[in-house]
Amino acid sequence: MSLTLVRNDFESFFRTPFAVYPRDTPYVSPMRSDLKRYLDPRKNPLLKAGGALEALTVLRDGRPVARATAHRHPASNARHGLSRSYFGFLDAADDLEALALLFREVETFARRHGDTEVMGPFNLTAMQQVGLVTEGFEHAPFTDMVWSPPWLPARLEELGYSAEFPMSTFHFSPADVDRNRLLSPGAKAILESDDWTFAPIDRKRFKMRMEEARHCLNAGFDANPMFVPLTAEEFEFQAGEMMWVLDPALSSVIHYKGRPMGVVICIPDLNPFVKGAGATYGPRALWSWLKMRSRPKQAVIILYSVLPEAQGQGVNPAMLWRVVGALQQRGYVDCGGTWIADVNGASLRQLERIGGERLHRTHLFRKTLTEVEA
């Protein structure tokens, strides 16, 4: 049986996980149109700003069996003093020979750009889907979470990659949360003060609120490992379509005397729709949408950030108190939380306070390259 590698063949790249994973696995693909947009150098700000990318697919006898992007994030390398290429959108059958061919090409890409290490998965930056699942393979992901099969971590280790930067995703039942336990003295003072107000993120003021959200994100995450501040174009590219799926009761920017000081973005979980639709807007999509609307409601917190000058004053628990109350009032039965690194003790403590349970354990995988091509 012969192996071939093809570059930038979108159809084979998109089809790979559908070809290698049984239908009953928890895997959920990005929507086909979104994936195509992410990989388009004319549309993705990461690529327009000088980031290189190749979409690689390995075929065995013409059938896709492994895929990954090989890409660079120049702003991350410059900010953190790295010489690194990345891989992302990694999906593969349990086929070491195919994976070896795939990662030889990823490493060739890195050497061609003068990089000394490869790390991933990043789909495509640290502010998008990150990591490879290492525990919790039985659990379905929420929107903006990853799922990968149990054989991939061991296969990557066989190819010389080592696991690092442990992270976890979480979920909790809003109905089980006692909101009053969330309220610190600072949070109570914020909720009782006219100087502090919550501004919902709705369609009418979407652009203004999202620019405030970007400001809170960039300031609040500035010291985090791997973080690179997002430009307005990058943030709109990643989050702009969220306007059409928002439940305005769940997401807000908190202001102090009119100044944005924190943000929480919580959206309905779209993964049941995406999976049922086959990740494509077609005949199945309408039926999948109607079916999802009849299911118990799920949501996912995808962004939570407070400006440094407001940290430690009760803003975090005040925002959490509000979003949990909205989830309860709107009848959401389950809520997910996207990845939190082990080094982020403050966020992990917040999850503990609402009874969050770990859904997945994830890691990044890194390899140092011994030779660099001239």
Side-chain angles (χ1 to χ4, degrees):
M1 295 189 294
S2 63
L3 286 176
T4 56
L5 184 141
V6 295
R7 294 178 178 81
N8 302 319
D9 179 347
F10 179 78
E11 293 304 323
S12 63
F13 191 88
F14 174 72
R15 286 192 297 111
T16 300
F18 297 97
V20 300
Y21 301 151
R23 292 185 64 181
D24 60 354
T25 63
Y27 174 79
V28 181
S29 169
M31 289 298 288
R32 184 181 188 280
S33 56
D34 287 338
L35 182 61
K36 195 166 190 177
R37 185 169 60 95
Y38 298 154
L39 303 182
D40 189 338
R42 298 165 298 178
K43 296 180 179 180
N44 191 329
L46 169 68
L47 305 179
K48 291 195 293 183
L53 180 144
E54 288 184 357
L56 308 170
T57 309
V58 176
L59 310 178
R60 184 177 285 282
D61 295 334
R63 176 178 176 268
V65 291
R67 76 169 188 189
T69 56
H71 61 277
R72 302 187 79 246
H73 189 185
S76 180
N77 281 354
R79 179 180 173 92
H80 299 292
L82 301 170
S83 178
R84 177 186 289 170
S85 286
Y86 301 87
F87 65 91
F89 295 103
L90 173 62
D91 290 289
D94 190 5
D95 185 333
L96 183 58
E97 186 182 14
L99 280 163
L101 174 59
L102 178 68
F103 276 89
R104 278 200 299 272
E105 194 59 33
V106 170
E107 292 161 20
T108 296
F109 172 95
R111 291 186 174 100
R112 189 164 66 244
H113 288 88
D115 289 329
T116 57
E117 66 177 19
V118 173
M119 193 173 194
F122 290 88
N123 301 349
L124 293 160
T125 72
M127 291 312 297
Q128 293 171 270
Q129 293 178 334
V130 172
L132 193 72
V133 175
T134 51
E135 295 177 27
F137 302 102
E138 69 276 19
H139 297 307
F142 288 74
T143 298
D144 219 30
M145 294 182 189
V146 298
W147 181 88
S148 48
W151 54 81
L152 275 178
R155 293 306 188 205
L156 284 183
E157 289 175 354
E158 289 181 76
L159 295 173
Y161 288 78
S162 57
E164 54 187 65
F165 200 73
M167 302 163 281
S168 297
T169 63
F170 294 87
H171 76 120
F172 67 94
S173 171
D176 294 340
V177 180
D178 180 358
R179 293 171 72 208
N180 293 328
R181 292 186 58 204
L182 303 178
L183 292 179
S184 64
K188 290 179 181 178
I190 286 171
L191 294 170
E192 293 169 357
S193 171
D194 292 336
D195 291 335
W196 291 89
T197 56
F198 288 95
I201 301 176
D202 54 24
R203 292 183 186 179
K204 185 177 180 180
R205 299 174 181 84
F206 184 78
K207 287 191 175 181
M208 178 173 67
R209 294 286 174 258
M210 292 305 281
E211 180 57 22
E212 291 177 340
R214 184 179 72 91
H215 169 68
C216 294
L217 168 68
N218 284 346
F221 277 63
D222 186 61
N224 284 23
M226 304 185 299
F227 181 71
V228 176
L230 271 69
T231 67
E233 184 182 15
E234 288 171 328
F235 195 65
E236 183 178 358
F237 181 81
Q238 294 182 28
E241 293 186 350
M242 196 163 52
M243 178 174 68
W244 305 109
V245 300
L246 277 172
D247 181 341
L250 305 184
S251 300
S252 63
V253 177
I254 187 170
H255 292 107
Y256 177 69
K257 295 183 177 180
R259 290 183 56 229
M261 301 301 286
V263 62
V264 58
I265 297 180
C266 181
I267 65 171
D269 176 29
L270 296 179
N271 271 5
F273 159 72
V274 175
K275 189 173 180 68
T280 302
Y281 293 111
R284 293 169 54 185
L286 178 58
W287 169 248
S288 181
W289 179 258
L290 294 173
K291 186 176 179 181
M292 187 190 78
R293 295 292 294 269
S294 69
R295 292 169 50 128
K297 294 199 291 186
Q298 298 182 168
V300 57
I301 298 172
I302 61 173
L303 175 59
Y304 197 92
S305 183
V306 177
L307 266 65
E309 58 262 41
Q311 292 174 6
Q313 298 182 27
V315 178
N316 262 328
M319 292 197 305
L320 199 56
W321 181 89
R322 183 183 185 278
V323 74
V324 168
L327 289 164
Q328 292 173 343
Q329 292 169 10
R330 303 284 283 180
Y332 286 88
V333 300
D334 202 8
C335 183
T338 54
W339 67 272
I340 299 175
D342 283 13
V343 296
N344 191 344
S347 292
L348 292 173
R349 287 190 293 273
Q350 292 289 340
L351 262 296
E352 290 175 2
R353 295 178 71 182
I354 59 174
E357 297 180 355
R358 180 181 290 161
L359 199 64
H360 307 107
R361 188 74 164 153
T362 62
H363 287 77
L364 294 171
F365 283 74
R366 185 175 65 86
K367 181 177 181 179
T368 300
L369 304 180
T370 56
E371 296 179 1
V372 178
E373 291 181 353

